[in-house]
Amino acid sequence: MADEEAEQDRCAQSATSAAIVALRERLQELATALKDSPDTPEQSASQYCQDFCQTLVEYAGRWRIEQEPLPLVEVYTVALLSYARAAPSLSPQCENVSLVLERLTLSCVELLLSLPENVPVALWEQFQSSVQAAHGLLQENGISQLQMLYAVAQEESVWSHSVLHGIFSKETPETEKVHEFLALEGPVLLEMRIKHLIKENQLEKAALLAKACSEYPGFEGKGHFKQTYLVCLCATVAQEPLMQEISKVDCRDALEMICNLESDGDEKGALCLCSAFLTRQLLQGDMYCAWELTLFWSKLLKRLESSVQAFLDRCRQMSSLSKTVYHILFLIKVIQSEMEDVGLPVCIELCIRALQMESDDSANTKATICKTILCLLPSDLEVKRACQLTEFLLEPTVDSYYAVETLYNEPDQKLEEESLPVPNSLRCELLLVFKTQWPFDPEFWDWKTLKRHCLALMGEEASIVSSIDELNDSENPEAAEEEELIKGNDVYKDQAESFWDTTVELNEIEDERKKKREIKKLREKGFISASLNWIYIRKNMFQNQRNPSPLRAKLHW
């Protein structure tokens, strides 16, 4: 078996050597054709670039970079030196000249970064000498695009630089040496190093190198080292140190980083970074950029998480971190947007949590939650009554009172558990949470009982409701007025000696009659509604009061 394997290795080496010789001869033919071409310099350069690329693809395609990278190193070594020797005959006006060299350099660097550490010394020395020679030839023609490869070829191997080892081992090399190394390598090569480390799952090393690059003043505005550093941190460190690190970054800058990652196709990294910043905002109760982060987070999560249940579970986890009601409302909004009816039970769960939270602006936030629940369960009469009653108890005004009255005067609803939009257990939990917000439990009360308790909470406003009710209960005000006048006349017929007093009283009755007729006309014309005519009445009730309350002073008659 050993002999067979040795024989196979000899055959493979022989085939590789033959292929390299053939490649060198083919490239030499292309260079000769370039010099002897009768075409214009631009045309001949364009044709050479096309033939060069086709030849390189043909020969490099014989080996796979994951399985046999070393023969590919020989292929690129020969190609680089051949291209550099042909450079004096290549017209700089041909845009393909610089493009081919750029692609060739990047492909060669990517290959070198993936090499095993035990590269044969002879092969590495051959690569070094070829790159140095090619770099010199290109520089003579004013081309410096091989600088990146030249920097790599200075060391014993791709990853052997002492400063690089110092960064990876957290030895904190001297700042000057670090900056010198980073300037030599350049942002492109360093980004390729970091991406390779991430690909190989060496995230800690990638984070350390990315941090060093992000702190180097010479790279300001170049590359995306900061966002790469933060993405690596998200995957390698615990939550507390991560929160400390990202607290130094403005959320607007974070949003830009997230968009950059998404544009580059790194949706996983974008989600990781977005989750970290959103978590920070939730834990700190900070509303700055909270909606944008929640929206981006939900969109990225939906793309990467095919399971509906997993998406909803992540939303639950985020809600458990929230310190404010509005963060929970943002999560409800994205669940409704992404999941629609499927996410309704989770939305109700989040509403329950929001109702149980304490807030500096308790009345307004709970009223907002009630309105949200009304939108989520618009056909559930019992829940609607609970929401409206809660709003009334938060602010017992005339308008909120009549909203409660309207719902409680509707016929009771018979619910079938099978047709409920959310599980009945969850619905009951919601109603129980509402009851904890009330000073009484009206579950078995009729409307009259509940009305009496509501009016007791309204103070002066209760007299307004009573006046409105009296007016609205009078189905035929004109007939009632005639009856009242007749009764008044009968009383005063027996009192002839008080004729003058009778005349005065009758005049007052007639004046009252006219006022009521005016109210009726205004109502018929639409100026006074069944629930808002209290404004006109109240004006008459309080027009003679000398010291109106501050609440009354705010009303505009």
Side-chain angles (χ1 to χ4, degrees):
M1 287 294 293
D3 292 340
E4 290 180 5
E5 290 179 359
E7 183 64 26
Q8 288 177 357
D9 289 341
R10 282 193 294 271
C11 290
Q13 291 175 0
S14 176
T16 299
S17 299
I20 297 301
V21 171
L23 172 63
R24 187 177 285 110
E25 291 175 353
R26 174 62 180 151
L27 293 176
Q28 182 59 46
E29 291 174 5
L30 294 180
T32 303
L34 171 66
K35 293 178 182 178
D36 300 337
S37 175
D39 298 330
T40 63
E42 288 186 32
Q43 289 175 335
S44 59
S46 178
Q47 185 62 47
Y48 173 82
C49 289
Q50 183 178 346
D51 294 340
F52 179 88
C53 291
Q54 288 178 350
T55 302
L56 189 59
V57 169
E58 176 187 344
Y59 280 86
R62 300 182 182 186
W63 299 278
R64 296 179 62 84
I65 189 171
E66 300 87 359
Q67 298 172 352
E68 299 175 288
L70 297 183
L72 286 171
V73 174
E74 295 187 64
V75 170
Y76 278 103
T77 300
V78 171
L80 280 167
L81 193 53
S82 177
Y83 195 87
R85 287 170 177 166
S89 303
L90 294 172
S91 171
Q93 279 72 38
C94 178
E95 60 181 15
N96 290 337
V97 173
S98 59
L99 180 62
V100 169
L101 184 58
E102 180 183 345
R103 297 289 177 82
L104 180 61
T105 302
L106 292 174
S107 297
C108 188
V109 170
E110 187 176 356
L111 170 65
L112 294 175
L113 292 174
S114 64
L115 289 177
E117 294 184 4
N118 56 342
V119 178
V121 175
L123 177 61
W124 184 252
E125 289 178 349
Q126 180 186 352
F127 168 76
Q128 285 179 310
S129 61
S130 296
V131 170
Q132 290 173 1
H135 181 57
L137 290 170
L138 289 171
Q139 278 193 319
E140 291 176 5
N141 291 276
I143 302 173
S144 59
Q145 288 174 293
L146 218 60
Q147 179 62 41
M148 183 164 57
L149 267 177
Y150 182 74
V152 174
Q154 299 302 304
E155 301 300 320
E156 296 179 359
S157 68
V158 183
W159 299 97
S160 64
H161 199 288
S162 58
V163 173
L164 195 60
H165 276 283
I167 293 172
F168 289 158
S169 60
K170 302 180 184 179
E171 293 177 358
T172 59
E174 294 180 12
T175 304
E176 289 185 8
K177 289 185 177 181
V178 172
H179 288 179
E180 183 182 342
F181 165 73
L182 297 177
L184 176 66
E185 295 235 323
V188 176
L189 174 56
L190 290 165
E191 279 198 333
M192 294 182 73
R193 285 188 184 277
I194 294 168
K195 286 181 180 178
H196 177 76
L197 291 169
I198 293 173
K199 181 181 177 182
E200 296 297 316
N201 204 30
Q202 299 183 54
L203 297 177
E204 187 175 357
K205 288 184 177 180
L208 291 168
L209 183 55
K211 182 181 181 182
C213 293
S214 68
E215 294 172 349
Y216 175 46
F219 288 166
E220 188 174 354
K222 300 176 183 178
H224 302 301
F225 297 110
K226 186 67 174 182
Q227 70 187 37
T228 304
Y229 168 57
L230 294 175
V231 169
C232 293
L233 279 187
C234 292
T236 56
V237 301
Q239 180 169 292
E240 186 175 347
L242 175 62
M243 293 298 107
Q244 291 175 354
E245 192 66 30
I246 66 174
S247 65
K248 306 171 187 175
V249 182
D250 187 272
C251 274
R252 287 291 171 193
D253 296 333
L255 290 171
E256 185 177 353
M257 293 178 187
I258 293 163
C259 291
N260 289 337
L261 288 166
E262 184 191 25
S263 299
D264 293 341
D266 187 6
E267 292 185 339
K268 186 176 180 181
L271 176 61
C272 184
L273 194 59
C274 191
S275 298
F277 277 94
L278 179 57
T279 299
R280 182 190 75 173
Q281 299 302 83
L282 294 175
L283 291 173
Q284 295 180 352
D286 192 349
M287 296 300 297
Y288 178 54
C289 294
W291 166 241
E292 291 89 340
L293 286 169
T294 306
L295 182 62
F296 282 20
W297 176 80
S298 67
K299 296 295 182 184
L300 291 166
L301 181 61
K302 181 71 181 301
R303 291 182 203 168
L304 295 171
E305 185 53 75
S306 58
S307 168
V308 172
Q309 190 57 47
F311 178 91
L312 295 175
D313 287 342
R314 288 290 298 275
C315 290
R316 284 194 186 96
Q317 291 171 8
M318 281 297 185
S319 72
S320 66
L321 303 176
S322 177
K323 298 293 188 295
T324 71
V325 169
Y326 289 104
H327 281 135
I328 292 181
L329 293 175
F330 290 160
L331 288 168
I332 291 172
K333 185 174 178 62
V334 297
I335 292 173
Q336 282 294 98
S337 175
E338 300 295 342
M339 298 287 110
E340 296 181 349
D341 293 342
V342 180
L344 183 57
V346 177
C347 290
I348 298 301
E349 288 179 29
L350 299 191
C351 286
I352 292 172
R353 171 171 166 73
L355 284 170
Q356 294 170 330
M357 292 176 67
E358 295 296 330
S359 172
D360 294 336
D361 189 14
S362 181
N364 287 335
T365 53
K366 287 183 179 178
T368 303
I369 300 166
C370 290
K371 289 180 173 63
T372 302
I373 296 171
L374 283 171
C375 293
L376 294 172
L377 299 173
S379 59
D380 192 321
L381 179 60
E382 189 174 4
V383 171
K384 287 165 67 177
R385 286 174 174 174
C387 289
Q388 203 62 64
L389 180 58
T390 302
E391 286 194 57
F392 168 80
L393 294 172
L394 291 170
E395 188 176 3
T397 63
V398 175
D399 287 341
S400 60
Y401 166 83
Y402 278 111
V404 174
E405 181 186 50
T406 301
L407 289 175
Y408 272 87
N409 282 331
E410 288 186 20
D412 289 340
Q413 190 179 50
K414 184 178 180 181
L415 294 175
E416 295 182 3
E417 191 167 342
E418 298 78 14
S419 62
L420 290 174
V422 297
N424 193 45
S425 57
L426 183 62
R427 181 176 171 275
C428 291
E429 185 181 352
L430 174 63
L431 293 172
L432 286 173
V433 171
F434 272 125
K435 288 183 179 182
T436 63
Q437 317 289 319
W438 302 340
F440 47 69
D441 185 358
E443 183 175 357
F444 301 107
W445 293 356
D446 58 12
W447 167 239
K448 289 184 179 180
T449 306
L450 178 58
K451 176 180 178 178
R452 186 170 65 253
H453 282 79
C454 288
L455 292 176
L457 298 172
M458 294 179 66
E460 293 179 352
E461 305 290 328
S463 61
I464 301 172
V465 173
S466 299
S467 300
I468 295 172
D469 289 349
E470 288 177 8
L471 183 61
N472 290 338
D473 288 343
S474 178
E475 296 181 357
N476 192 346
E478 191 167 352
E481 292 161 6
E482 292 290 343
E483 191 174 311
E484 184 178 351
L485 183 59
I486 292 170
K487 287 181 180 178
N489 288 336
D490 290 339
V491 171
Y492 287 105
K493 280 179 184 177
D494 298 331
Q495 302 178 5
E497 67 279 3
S498 304
F499 178 80
W500 176 251
D501 292 337
T502 301
T503 302
V504 173
E505 292 295 329
L506 287 174
N507 287 338
E508 289 177 353
I509 292 172
E510 184 64 18
D511 289 341
E512 185 66 18
R513 178 181 176 185
K514 286 180 180 179
K515 286 181 181 179
K516 291 185 177 181
R517 282 178 177 172
E518 287 177 7
I519 292 173
K520 179 185 177 185
K521 288 177 182 178
L522 289 172
R523 185 192 300 158
E524 290 174 348
K525 290 180 179 180
F527 291 110
I528 301 179
S529 66
S531 60
L532 298 177
N533 54 21
W534 58 274
I535 295 177
Y536 184 86
I537 296 172
R538 184 170 185 175
K539 179 180 179 181
N540 288 281
M541 290 173 62
F542 296 106
Q543 63 184 351
N544 294 325
Q545 291 189 8
R546 295 181 180 178
N547 299 311
S549 70
L551 180 61
R552 293 195 189 99
K554 294 179 182 179
L555 295 174
H556 301 285
W557 303 117

